[in-house]
mmCIF file of all heavy atoms in Angstrom:
data_model
loop_
_atom_site.group_PDB
_atom_site.id
_atom_site.type_symbol
_atom_site.label_atom_id
_atom_site.label_comp_id
_atom_site.label_asym_id
_atom_site.label_seq_id
_atom_site.Cartn_x
_atom_site.Cartn_y
_atom_site.Cartn_z
ATOM 1 N N ALA A 1 -12.399 -1.017 -10.514
ATOM 2 C CA ALA A 1 -11.714 -1.569 -11.690
ATOM 3 C C ALA A 1 -11.094 -0.465 -12.545
ATOM 4 O O ALA A 1 -9.926 -0.565 -12.946
ATOM 5 C CB ALA A 1 -12.687 -2.403 -12.524
ATOM 6 N N LEU A 2 -11.855 0.569 -12.820
ATOM 7 C CA LEU A 2 -11.374 1.645 -13.691
ATOM 8 C C LEU A 2 -10.274 2.483 -13.035
ATOM 9 O O LEU A 2 -9.325 2.901 -13.710
ATOM 10 C CB LEU A 2 -12.537 2.541 -14.106
ATOM 11 C CG LEU A 2 -13.517 1.907 -15.094
ATOM 12 C CD1 LEU A 2 -14.838 2.667 -15.097
ATOM 13 C CD2 LEU A 2 -12.907 1.837 -16.483
ATOM 14 N N LEU A 3 -10.383 2.720 -11.741
ATOM 15 C CA LEU A 3 -9.397 3.562 -11.059
ATOM 16 C C LEU A 3 -8.108 2.816 -10.735
ATOM 17 O O LEU A 3 -7.078 3.446 -10.492
ATOM 18 C CB LEU A 3 -10.001 4.160 -9.783
ATOM 19 C CG LEU A 3 -11.133 5.171 -10.018
ATOM 20 C CD1 LEU A 3 -11.783 5.562 -8.700
ATOM 21 C CD2 LEU A 3 -10.643 6.398 -10.768
ATOM 22 N N THR A 4 -8.141 1.503 -10.721
ATOM 23 C CA THR A 4 -6.915 0.737 -10.478
ATOM 24 C C THR A 4 -6.285 0.225 -11.771
ATOM 25 O O THR A 4 -5.108 -0.144 -11.775
ATOM 26 C CB THR A 4 -7.168 -0.449 -9.524
ATOM 27 O OG1 THR A 4 -8.188 -1.281 -10.064
ATOM 28 C CG2 THR A 4 -7.574 0.034 -8.142
ATOM 29 N N ALA A 5 -7.029 0.207 -12.864
ATOM 30 C CA ALA A 5 -6.507 -0.294 -14.139
ATOM 31 C C ALA A 5 -5.249 0.438 -14.612
ATOM 32 O O ALA A 5 -4.328 -0.215 -15.121
ATOM 33 C CB ALA A 5 -7.590 -0.241 -15.215
ATOM 34 N N PRO A 6 -5.148 1.771 -14.462
ATOM 35 C CA PRO A 6 -3.926 2.438 -14.940
ATOM 36 C C PRO A 6 -2.643 1.905 -14.303
ATOM 37 O O PRO A 6 -1.611 1.813 -14.975
ATOM 38 C CB PRO A 6 -4.165 3.903 -14.573
ATOM 39 C CG PRO A 6 -5.645 4.050 -14.636
ATOM 40 C CD PRO A 6 -6.169 2.757 -14.061
ATOM 41 N N ALA A 7 -2.695 1.539 -13.037
ATOM 42 C CA ALA A 7 -1.492 0.983 -12.394
ATOM 43 C C ALA A 7 -1.116 -0.349 -13.045
ATOM 44 O O ALA A 7 0.069 -0.617 -13.284
ATOM 45 C CB ALA A 7 -1.731 0.799 -10.899
ATOM 46 N N SER A 8 -2.100 -1.148 -13.359
ATOM 47 C CA SER A 8 -1.838 -2.431 -14.020
ATOM 48 C C SER A 8 -1.277 -2.218 -15.430
ATOM 49 O O SER A 8 -0.309 -2.868 -15.823
ATOM 50 C CB SER A 8 -3.129 -3.251 -14.078
ATOM 51 O OG SER A 8 -2.912 -4.447 -14.765
ATOM 52 N N TRP A 9 -1.885 -1.305 -16.175
ATOM 53 C CA TRP A 9 -1.398 -1.004 -17.524
ATOM 54 C C TRP A 9 0.053 -0.519 -17.462
ATOM 55 O O TRP A 9 0.880 -0.945 -18.266
ATOM 56 C CB TRP A 9 -2.276 0.065 -18.176
ATOM 57 C CG TRP A 9 -3.514 -0.481 -18.795
ATOM 58 C CD1 TRP A 9 -4.543 -1.113 -18.157
ATOM 59 C CD2 TRP A 9 -3.860 -0.446 -20.170
ATOM 60 N NE1 TRP A 9 -5.506 -1.468 -19.061
ATOM 61 C CE2 TRP A 9 -5.120 -1.068 -20.306
ATOM 62 C CE3 TRP A 9 -3.230 0.061 -21.305
ATOM 63 C CZ2 TRP A 9 -5.760 -1.203 -21.521
ATOM 64 C CZ3 TRP A 9 -3.873 -0.060 -22.529
ATOM 65 C CH2 TRP A 9 -5.120 -0.693 -22.627
ATOM 66 N N HIS A 10 0.330 0.367 -16.514
ATOM 67 C CA HIS A 10 1.684 0.883 -16.387
ATOM 68 C C HIS A 10 2.662 -0.242 -16.082
ATOM 69 O O HIS A 10 3.726 -0.349 -16.688
ATOM 70 C CB HIS A 10 1.748 1.953 -15.290
ATOM 71 C CG HIS A 10 3.119 2.487 -15.074
ATOM 72 N ND1 HIS A 10 3.881 2.123 -13.996
ATOM 73 C CD2 HIS A 10 3.874 3.335 -15.805
ATOM 74 C CE1 HIS A 10 5.056 2.731 -14.059
ATOM 75 N NE2 HIS A 10 5.073 3.486 -15.147
ATOM 76 N N ARG A 11 2.296 -1.109 -15.159
ATOM 77 C CA ARG A 11 3.201 -2.186 -14.760
ATOM 78 C C ARG A 11 3.411 -3.174 -15.898
ATOM 79 O O ARG A 11 4.530 -3.601 -16.168
ATOM 80 C CB ARG A 11 2.616 -2.901 -13.526
ATOM 81 C CG ARG A 11 3.492 -3.891 -12.879
ATOM 82 C CD ARG A 11 4.885 -3.446 -12.452
ATOM 83 N NE ARG A 11 5.088 -2.065 -12.138
ATOM 84 C CZ ARG A 11 6.212 -1.385 -12.401
ATOM 85 N NH1 ARG A 11 7.247 -1.962 -12.949
ATOM 86 N NH2 ARG A 11 6.319 -0.115 -12.102
ATOM 87 N N LEU A 12 2.349 -3.552 -16.602
ATOM 88 C CA LEU A 12 2.468 -4.551 -17.670
ATOM 89 C C LEU A 12 3.150 -4.007 -18.924
ATOM 90 O O LEU A 12 3.735 -4.770 -19.692
ATOM 91 C CB LEU A 12 1.095 -5.125 -18.021
ATOM 92 C CG LEU A 12 0.466 -5.982 -16.919
ATOM 93 C CD1 LEU A 12 -0.980 -6.318 -17.260
ATOM 94 C CD2 LEU A 12 1.270 -7.253 -16.692
ATOM 95 N N LEU A 13 3.064 -2.696 -19.126
ATOM 96 C CA LEU A 13 3.675 -2.092 -20.316
ATOM 97 C C LEU A 13 4.935 -1.292 -19.976
ATOM 98 O O LEU A 13 5.440 -0.549 -20.812
ATOM 99 C CB LEU A 13 2.652 -1.202 -21.026
ATOM 100 C CG LEU A 13 1.392 -1.933 -21.507
ATOM 101 C CD1 LEU A 13 0.398 -0.951 -22.090
ATOM 102 C CD2 LEU A 13 1.736 -3.033 -22.495
ATOM 103 N N PHE A 14 5.433 -1.475 -18.765
ATOM 104 C CA PHE A 14 6.615 -0.771 -18.276
ATOM 105 C C PHE A 14 7.800 -1.002 -19.212
ATOM 106 O O PHE A 14 8.042 -2.117 -19.667
ATOM 107 C CB PHE A 14 6.927 -1.293 -16.866
ATOM 108 C CG PHE A 14 8.055 -0.592 -16.179
ATOM 109 C CD1 PHE A 14 7.957 0.744 -15.838
ATOM 110 C CD2 PHE A 14 9.208 -1.281 -15.856
ATOM 111 C CE1 PHE A 14 8.991 1.389 -15.179
ATOM 112 C CE2 PHE A 14 10.246 -0.649 -15.204
ATOM 113 C CZ PHE A 14 10.133 0.692 -14.870
ATOM 114 N N ARG A 15 8.490 0.073 -19.529
ATOM 115 C CA ARG A 15 9.688 0.056 -20.388
ATOM 116 C C ARG A 15 9.433 -0.525 -21.773
ATOM 117 O O ARG A 15 10.291 -1.177 -22.349
ATOM 118 C CB ARG A 15 10.821 -0.690 -19.698
ATOM 119 C CG ARG A 15 11.323 0.043 -18.476
ATOM 120 C CD ARG A 15 12.582 -0.571 -17.956
ATOM 121 N NE ARG A 15 13.039 0.220 -16.821
ATOM 122 C CZ ARG A 15 13.799 -0.263 -15.870
ATOM 123 N NH1 ARG A 15 14.192 -1.510 -15.892
ATOM 124 N NH2 ARG A 15 14.182 0.518 -14.888
ATOM 125 N N ARG A 16 8.280 -0.271 -22.298
ATOM 126 C CA ARG A 16 7.953 -0.698 -23.664
ATOM 127 C C ARG A 16 7.854 0.494 -24.612
ATOM 128 O O ARG A 16 7.406 0.345 -25.736
ATOM 129 C CB ARG A 16 6.625 -1.464 -23.690
ATOM 130 C CG ARG A 16 6.575 -2.672 -22.818
ATOM 131 C CD ARG A 16 7.115 -3.850 -23.550
ATOM 132 N NE ARG A 16 6.918 -5.043 -22.728
ATOM 133 C CZ ARG A 16 7.773 -6.022 -22.662
ATOM 134 N NH1 ARG A 16 8.875 -5.978 -23.366
ATOM 135 N NH2 ARG A 16 7.544 -7.060 -21.909
ATOM 136 N N GLY A 17 8.202 1.679 -24.119
ATOM 137 C CA GLY A 17 8.136 2.876 -24.955
ATOM 138 C C GLY A 17 6.710 3.306 -25.253
ATOM 139 O O GLY A 17 6.455 3.921 -26.286
ATOM 140 N N MET A 18 5.775 2.986 -24.347
ATOM 141 C CA MET A 18 4.361 3.269 -24.589
ATOM 142 C C MET A 18 3.784 4.253 -23.569
ATOM 143 O O MET A 18 2.588 4.243 -23.321
ATOM 144 C CB MET A 18 3.570 1.952 -24.566
ATOM 145 C CG MET A 18 4.030 0.957 -25.609
ATOM 146 S SD MET A 18 3.114 -0.592 -25.512
ATOM 147 C CE MET A 18 1.532 -0.049 -26.123
ATOM 148 N N ARG A 19 4.621 5.086 -23.001
ATOM 149 C CA ARG A 19 4.171 5.986 -21.934
ATOM 150 C C ARG A 19 3.017 6.878 -22.385
ATOM 151 O O ARG A 19 2.046 7.053 -21.658
ATOM 152 C CB ARG A 19 5.342 6.823 -21.435
ATOM 153 C CG ARG A 19 5.004 7.581 -20.174
ATOM 154 C CD ARG A 19 6.197 8.300 -19.617
ATOM 155 N NE ARG A 19 7.009 7.359 -18.865
ATOM 156 C CZ ARG A 19 8.290 7.537 -18.612
ATOM 157 N NH1 ARG A 19 8.921 8.598 -19.052
ATOM 158 N NH2 ARG A 19 8.953 6.655 -17.910
ATOM 159 N N LYS A 20 3.090 7.441 -23.587
ATOM 160 C CA LYS A 20 2.004 8.307 -24.067
ATOM 161 C C LYS A 20 0.698 7.530 -24.167
ATOM 162 O O LYS A 20 -0.357 8.016 -23.742
ATOM 163 C CB LYS A 20 2.350 8.924 -25.414
ATOM 164 C CG LYS A 20 1.177 9.764 -25.935
ATOM 165 C CD LYS A 20 1.587 10.803 -26.898
ATOM 166 C CE LYS A 20 0.478 11.647 -27.440
ATOM 167 N NZ LYS A 20 -0.790 11.678 -26.767
ATOM 168 N N GLU A 21 0.734 6.323 -24.702
ATOM 169 C CA GLU A 21 -0.468 5.497 -24.823
ATOM 170 C C GLU A 21 -1.028 5.147 -23.444
ATOM 171 O O GLU A 21 -2.242 5.160 -23.230
ATOM 172 C CB GLU A 21 -0.184 4.210 -25.608
ATOM 173 C CG GLU A 21 0.153 4.437 -27.071
ATOM 174 C CD GLU A 21 1.625 4.753 -27.325
ATOM 175 O OE1 GLU A 21 2.408 4.926 -26.363
ATOM 176 O OE2 GLU A 21 1.992 4.853 -28.512
ATOM 177 N N ILE A 22 -0.132 4.842 -22.511
ATOM 178 C CA ILE A 22 -0.567 4.519 -21.152
ATOM 179 C C ILE A 22 -1.269 5.724 -20.525
ATOM 180 O O ILE A 22 -2.331 5.588 -19.910
ATOM 181 C CB ILE A 22 0.631 4.074 -20.280
ATOM 182 C CG1 ILE A 22 1.178 2.741 -20.775
ATOM 183 C CG2 ILE A 22 0.233 3.977 -18.810
ATOM 184 C CD1 ILE A 22 2.526 2.361 -20.160
ATOM 185 N N ILE A 23 -0.702 6.904 -20.702
ATOM 186 C CA ILE A 23 -1.305 8.119 -20.139
ATOM 187 C C ILE A 23 -2.671 8.377 -20.759
ATOM 188 O O ILE A 23 -3.632 8.698 -20.058
ATOM 189 C CB ILE A 23 -0.368 9.328 -20.332
ATOM 190 C CG1 ILE A 23 0.877 9.158 -19.470
ATOM 191 C CG2 ILE A 23 -1.085 10.641 -19.995
ATOM 192 C CD1 ILE A 23 1.980 10.151 -19.770
ATOM 193 N N ASP A 24 -2.774 8.228 -22.075
ATOM 194 C CA ASP A 24 -4.053 8.475 -22.748
ATOM 195 C C ASP A 24 -5.146 7.530 -22.247
ATOM 196 O O ASP A 24 -6.249 7.965 -21.910
ATOM 197 C CB ASP A 24 -3.901 8.347 -24.267
ATOM 198 C CG ASP A 24 -3.084 9.481 -24.873
ATOM 199 O OD1 ASP A 24 -2.908 10.519 -24.200
ATOM 200 O OD2 ASP A 24 -2.616 9.316 -26.019
ATOM 201 N N ILE A 25 -4.849 6.235 -22.200
ATOM 202 C CA ILE A 25 -5.866 5.270 -21.760
ATOM 203 C C ILE A 25 -6.135 5.424 -20.267
ATOM 204 O O ILE A 25 -7.272 5.306 -19.819
ATOM 205 C CB ILE A 25 -5.505 3.815 -22.146
ATOM 206 C CG1 ILE A 25 -6.727 2.908 -22.009
ATOM 207 C CG2 ILE A 25 -4.382 3.263 -21.304
ATOM 208 C CD1 ILE A 25 -7.786 3.141 -23.017
ATOM 209 N N ALA A 26 -5.093 5.703 -19.483
ATOM 210 C CA ALA A 26 -5.272 5.888 -18.037
ATOM 211 C C ALA A 26 -6.160 7.097 -17.757
ATOM 212 O O ALA A 26 -6.985 7.061 -16.839
ATOM 213 C CB ALA A 26 -3.920 6.048 -17.354
ATOM 214 N N ASN A 27 -6.010 8.152 -18.536
ATOM 215 C CA ASN A 27 -6.863 9.325 -18.378
ATOM 216 C C ASN A 27 -8.324 8.972 -18.656
ATOM 217 O O ASN A 27 -9.220 9.366 -17.912
ATOM 218 C CB ASN A 27 -6.382 10.444 -19.296
ATOM 219 C CG ASN A 27 -7.150 11.722 -19.068
ATOM 220 O OD1 ASN A 27 -7.125 12.275 -17.986
ATOM 221 N ND2 ASN A 27 -7.859 12.171 -20.092
ATOM 222 N N THR A 28 -8.554 8.210 -19.716
ATOM 223 C CA THR A 28 -9.920 7.771 -20.044
ATOM 224 C C THR A 28 -10.489 6.909 -18.925
ATOM 225 O O THR A 28 -11.636 7.090 -18.508
ATOM 226 C CB THR A 28 -9.926 6.989 -21.377
ATOM 227 O OG1 THR A 28 -9.422 7.847 -22.398
ATOM 228 C CG2 THR A 28 -11.312 6.526 -21.736
ATOM 229 N N PHE A 29 -9.684 5.955 -18.427
ATOM 230 C CA PHE A 29 -10.122 5.109 -17.315
ATOM 231 C C PHE A 29 -10.427 5.947 -16.077
ATOM 232 O O PHE A 29 -11.408 5.701 -15.365
ATOM 233 C CB PHE A 29 -9.060 4.070 -16.963
ATOM 234 C CG PHE A 29 -8.941 2.925 -17.928
ATOM 235 C CD1 PHE A 29 -7.767 2.192 -17.983
ATOM 236 C CD2 PHE A 29 -9.971 2.558 -18.769
ATOM 237 C CE1 PHE A 29 -7.626 1.123 -18.852
ATOM 238 C CE2 PHE A 29 -9.847 1.492 -19.654
ATOM 239 C CZ PHE A 29 -8.679 0.772 -19.697
ATOM 240 N N ALA A 30 -9.573 6.912 -15.782
ATOM 241 C CA ALA A 30 -9.755 7.738 -14.585
ATOM 242 C C ALA A 30 -11.061 8.525 -14.658
ATOM 243 O O ALA A 30 -11.819 8.569 -13.681
ATOM 244 C CB ALA A 30 -8.571 8.686 -14.411
ATOM 245 N N ILE A 31 -11.348 9.117 -15.798
ATOM 246 C CA ILE A 31 -12.587 9.883 -15.944
ATOM 247 C C ILE A 31 -13.796 8.962 -15.829
ATOM 248 O O ILE A 31 -14.759 9.256 -15.110
ATOM 249 C CB ILE A 31 -12.593 10.674 -17.263
ATOM 250 C CG1 ILE A 31 -11.534 11.780 -17.205
ATOM 251 C CG2 ILE A 31 -13.981 11.264 -17.544
ATOM 252 C CD1 ILE A 31 -11.248 12.451 -18.532
ATOM 253 N N ALA A 32 -13.761 7.814 -16.505
ATOM 254 C CA ALA A 32 -14.866 6.858 -16.413
ATOM 255 C C ALA A 32 -15.011 6.350 -14.980
ATOM 256 O O ALA A 32 -16.139 6.186 -14.478
ATOM 257 C CB ALA A 32 -14.635 5.691 -17.372
ATOM 258 N N GLY A 33 -13.893 6.117 -14.300
ATOM 259 C CA GLY A 33 -13.934 5.674 -12.907
ATOM 260 C C GLY A 33 -14.546 6.715 -11.992
ATOM 261 O O GLY A 33 -15.318 6.386 -11.082
ATOM 262 N N LEU A 34 -14.234 7.983 -12.237
ATOM 263 C CA LEU A 34 -14.814 9.053 -11.432
ATOM 264 C C LEU A 34 -16.310 9.197 -11.688
ATOM 265 O O LEU A 34 -17.078 9.485 -10.765
ATOM 266 C CB LEU A 34 -14.088 10.368 -11.690
ATOM 267 C CG LEU A 34 -12.674 10.436 -11.116
ATOM 268 C CD1 LEU A 34 -11.958 11.693 -11.601
ATOM 269 C CD2 LEU A 34 -12.690 10.368 -9.597
ATOM 270 N N VAL A 35 -16.743 8.968 -12.931
ATOM 271 C CA VAL A 35 -18.184 8.975 -13.224
ATOM 272 C C VAL A 35 -18.865 7.859 -12.434
ATOM 273 O O VAL A 35 -19.894 8.083 -11.777
ATOM 274 C CB VAL A 35 -18.450 8.827 -14.739
ATOM 275 C CG1 VAL A 35 -19.918 8.551 -15.017
ATOM 276 C CG2 VAL A 35 -17.994 10.076 -15.492
ATOM 277 N N CYS A 36 -18.292 6.653 -12.481
ATOM 278 C CA CYS A 36 -18.870 5.529 -11.731
ATOM 279 C C CYS A 36 -18.867 5.808 -10.235
ATOM 280 O O CYS A 36 -19.846 5.518 -9.537
ATOM 281 C CB CYS A 36 -18.120 4.234 -12.032
ATOM 282 S SG CYS A 36 -18.414 3.585 -13.678
ATOM 283 N N LEU A 37 -17.777 6.384 -9.734
ATOM 284 C CA LEU A 37 -17.697 6.698 -8.305
ATOM 285 C C LEU A 37 -18.740 7.742 -7.920
ATOM 286 O O LEU A 37 -19.392 7.614 -6.889
ATOM 287 C CB LEU A 37 -16.291 7.180 -7.945
ATOM 288 C CG LEU A 37 -16.079 7.605 -6.489
ATOM 289 C CD1 LEU A 37 -16.457 6.488 -5.518
ATOM 290 C CD2 LEU A 37 -14.638 8.052 -6.277
ATOM 291 N N ALA A 38 -18.900 8.776 -8.728
ATOM 292 C CA ALA A 38 -19.909 9.804 -8.432
ATOM 293 C C ALA A 38 -21.305 9.179 -8.385
ATOM 294 O O ALA A 38 -22.086 9.447 -7.470
ATOM 295 C CB ALA A 38 -19.849 10.922 -9.474
ATOM 296 N N LEU A 39 -21.614 8.320 -9.358
ATOM 297 C CA LEU A 39 -22.923 7.662 -9.367
ATOM 298 C C LEU A 39 -23.083 6.715 -8.177
ATOM 299 O O LEU A 39 -24.163 6.608 -7.591
ATOM 300 C CB LEU A 39 -23.131 6.923 -10.689
ATOM 301 C CG LEU A 39 -23.265 7.824 -11.919
ATOM 302 C CD1 LEU A 39 -23.294 6.993 -13.198
ATOM 303 C CD2 LEU A 39 -24.502 8.714 -11.812
ATOM 304 N N ALA A 40 -21.995 6.042 -7.800
ATOM 305 C CA ALA A 40 -22.043 5.161 -6.628
ATOM 306 C C ALA A 40 -22.267 5.970 -5.349
ATOM 307 O O ALA A 40 -22.997 5.538 -4.450
ATOM 308 C CB ALA A 40 -20.751 4.349 -6.534
ATOM 309 N N MET A 41 -21.645 7.136 -5.268
ATOM 310 C CA MET A 41 -21.852 7.995 -4.102
ATOM 311 C C MET A 41 -23.305 8.471 -4.041
ATOM 312 O O MET A 41 -23.912 8.492 -2.972
ATOM 313 C CB MET A 41 -20.901 9.194 -4.144
ATOM 314 C CG MET A 41 -19.448 8.833 -3.933
ATOM 315 S SD MET A 41 -19.120 8.119 -2.319
ATOM 316 C CE MET A 41 -19.479 9.518 -1.267
ATOM 317 N N VAL A 42 -23.852 8.827 -5.186
ATOM 318 C CA VAL A 42 -25.254 9.233 -5.231
ATOM 319 C C VAL A 42 -26.141 8.072 -4.796
ATOM 320 O O VAL A 42 -27.073 8.242 -3.998
ATOM 321 C CB VAL A 42 -25.640 9.732 -6.645
ATOM 322 C CG1 VAL A 42 -27.150 9.913 -6.769
ATOM 323 C CG2 VAL A 42 -24.908 11.033 -6.959
ATOM 324 N N GLY A 43 -25.853 6.862 -5.290
ATOM 325 C CA GLY A 43 -26.612 5.682 -4.883
ATOM 326 C C GLY A 43 -26.514 5.430 -3.395
ATOM 327 O O GLY A 43 -27.507 5.075 -2.738
ATOM 328 N N THR A 44 -25.326 5.630 -2.822
ATOM 329 C CA THR A 44 -25.131 5.437 -1.388
ATOM 330 C C THR A 44 -25.931 6.461 -0.591
ATOM 331 O O THR A 44 -26.571 6.124 0.408
ATOM 332 C CB THR A 44 -23.635 5.519 -1.038
ATOM 333 O OG1 THR A 44 -22.929 4.551 -1.815
ATOM 334 C CG2 THR A 44 -23.393 5.263 0.435
ATOM 335 N N VAL A 45 -25.906 7.708 -1.026
ATOM 336 C CA VAL A 45 -26.684 8.751 -0.360
ATOM 337 C C VAL A 45 -28.173 8.417 -0.454
ATOM 338 O O VAL A 45 -28.915 8.558 0.531
ATOM 339 C CB VAL A 45 -26.374 10.138 -0.973
ATOM 340 C CG1 VAL A 45 -27.369 11.190 -0.515
ATOM 341 C CG2 VAL A 45 -24.948 10.557 -0.634
ATOM 342 N N LEU A 46 -28.608 7.959 -1.612
ATOM 343 C CA LEU A 46 -30.013 7.584 -1.793
ATOM 344 C C LEU A 46 -30.376 6.399 -0.902
ATOM 345 O O LEU A 46 -31.451 6.383 -0.283
ATOM 346 C CB LEU A 46 -30.281 7.264 -3.265
ATOM 347 C CG LEU A 46 -31.711 7.063 -3.700
ATOM 348 C CD1 LEU A 46 -32.611 8.203 -3.256
ATOM 349 C CD2 LEU A 46 -31.781 6.895 -5.207
ATOM 350 N N LEU A 47 -29.499 5.415 -0.801
ATOM 351 C CA LEU A 47 -29.741 4.277 0.103
ATOM 352 C C LEU A 47 -29.893 4.744 1.545
ATOM 353 O O LEU A 47 -30.808 4.312 2.255
ATOM 354 C CB LEU A 47 -28.579 3.281 0.031
ATOM 355 C CG LEU A 47 -28.578 2.285 -1.107
ATOM 356 C CD1 LEU A 47 -27.251 1.530 -1.140
ATOM 357 C CD2 LEU A 47 -29.732 1.313 -0.975
#
């Protein structure tokens, strides 16, 4: 969800003059998504 959300935000806010806002929120989503992915990888290794 977090790693695909930026594409949705970009598409829904396309040509609205909000590129900076999209980048800021997408960066936050990407970092949170990578945290979730890292924890999921650890869980998979543990499984």
